């Protein structure tokens, strides 16, 4: 067992529906190849990799979220729910000690901290063994910020870095607004 601190990447919702599908996004289309390259490099460097996947059921339009965002997307088992091909290729080529997929039914995953703690326990590690979290993905202003806040609440003393060049918001303006909000909440924006 190495005493080396763990860096954990949380790659948020890099799914077809957020790039070219139901909620297509030009900024995501423009940076998905770069994002996949970064994810692969981080995994090869030994980062633990957690990939979140927005996951809805067929009744999405009847949910609270669906009534406010009436665009069916990321329905489990449909093509748009799948990770982007670029990311799948990077995931297949990684040699990370820990690679974990977290299906989440809403913006932030309240289970993400538990999944991370379970992996730490399985590897005889503690939360104090985490050097930092690196978070990136889609959409900056909805799911990235939500998961960042969940992790901040669960790990208040751990550095959390937002990889801004690997994120895309619903609009460029809302992307910047989310980055500014996270900066104000003491996240490191790089």
């Amino acid at each position: 067992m190495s005493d080396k601190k763990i860096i954990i990447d949380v790659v948020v919702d890099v799914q077809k529906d957020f790039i070219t599908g139901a909620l297509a996004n030009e900024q995501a289309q423009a940076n998905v190849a770069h994002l996949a390259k970064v994810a692969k490099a981080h995994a090869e460097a030994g980062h633990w990799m957690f990939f979140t996947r927005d996951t809805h059921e067929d009744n999405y339009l009847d949910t609270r979220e669906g009534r406010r965002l009436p665009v069916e997307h990321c329905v489990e088992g449909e093509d748009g729910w799948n990770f982007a091909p670029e990311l799948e290729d990077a995931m297949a080529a990684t040699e990370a000690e820990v690679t974990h997929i977290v299906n989440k039914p809403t913006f932030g995953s309240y289970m993400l901290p538990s999944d991370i703690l379970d992996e730490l326990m399985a590897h005889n590690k503690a939360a104090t063994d985490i050097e930092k979290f690196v978070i990136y993905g889609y959409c900056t202003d909805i799911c990235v910020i939500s998961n960042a806040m969940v992790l901040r609440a669960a790990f208040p003393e751990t550095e959390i870095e937002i990889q801004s060049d690997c994120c895309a918001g619903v609009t460029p303006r809302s992307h910047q607004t989310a980055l500014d909000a996270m900066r104000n909440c003491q996240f490191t924006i790089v």
Side-chain angles (χ1 to χ4, degrees):
M1 267 282 143
S2 169
D3 289 335
K4 183 180 174 190
K5 292 273 193 171
I6 302 162
I7 299 174
I8 298 176
D9 280 33
V10 178
V11 185
V12 179
D13 299 355
V14 183
Q15 294 165 265
K16 291 180 178 182
D17 268 349
F18 292 120
I19 303 165
T20 57
L23 296 170
N25 182 306
E26 290 180 11
Q27 288 76 33
Q29 292 167 23
N31 79 10
V32 68
H34 172 67
L35 181 153
K37 184 178 177 180
V38 168
K40 181 179 179 186
H42 286 188
E44 289 173 345
H47 294 203
W48 286 14
M49 306 298 292
F50 284 75
F51 299 92
T52 72
R53 185 166 46 194
D54 198 35
T55 302
H56 301 294
E57 295 181 15
D58 292 335
N59 70 339
Y60 172 76
L61 295 176
D62 296 325
T63 67
R64 180 179 186 282
E65 179 184 330
R67 288 187 300 274
R68 291 175 177 240
L69 176 63
V71 178
E72 197 170 76
H73 65 282
C74 297
V75 174
E76 187 171 4
E78 292 186 9
D79 191 50
W81 176 69
N82 294 318
F83 289 116
E86 298 89 342
L87 187 63
E88 287 180 350
D89 292 345
M91 290 168 72
T94 64
E95 296 181 19
E97 183 175 357
V98 173
T99 300
H100 194 89
I101 295 173
V102 179
N103 291 332
K104 58 184 192 58
T106 189
F107 308 136
S109 173
Y110 70 92
M111 291 301 298
L112 183 58
S114 295
D115 289 344
I116 291 168
L117 290 170
D118 288 348
E119 286 293 345
L120 289 168
M121 286 177 49
H123 289 83
N124 296 317
K125 297 284 188 177
T128 54
D129 292 315
I130 301 171
E131 178 178 330
K132 69 179 173 178
F133 290 100
V134 180
I135 304 174
Y136 46 99
Y138 311 129
C139 291
T140 319
D141 46 332
I142 301 173
C143 294
V144 171
I145 193 171
S146 295
N147 285 286
M149 294 297 185
V150 166
L151 290 172
R152 170 57 69 227
F155 301 94
E157 295 300 321
T158 304
E159 178 69 26
I160 300 178
E161 180 179 288
I162 309 300
Q163 189 86 38
S164 65
D165 65 336
C166 294
C167 292
V170 173
T171 68
R173 182 177 177 192
S174 63
H175 166 76
Q176 189 58 53
T177 298
L179 293 175
D180 291 342
M182 288 186 282
R183 185 177 291 108
N184 289 340
C185 291
Q186 302 178 351
F187 294 90
T188 302
I189 310 299
V190 295

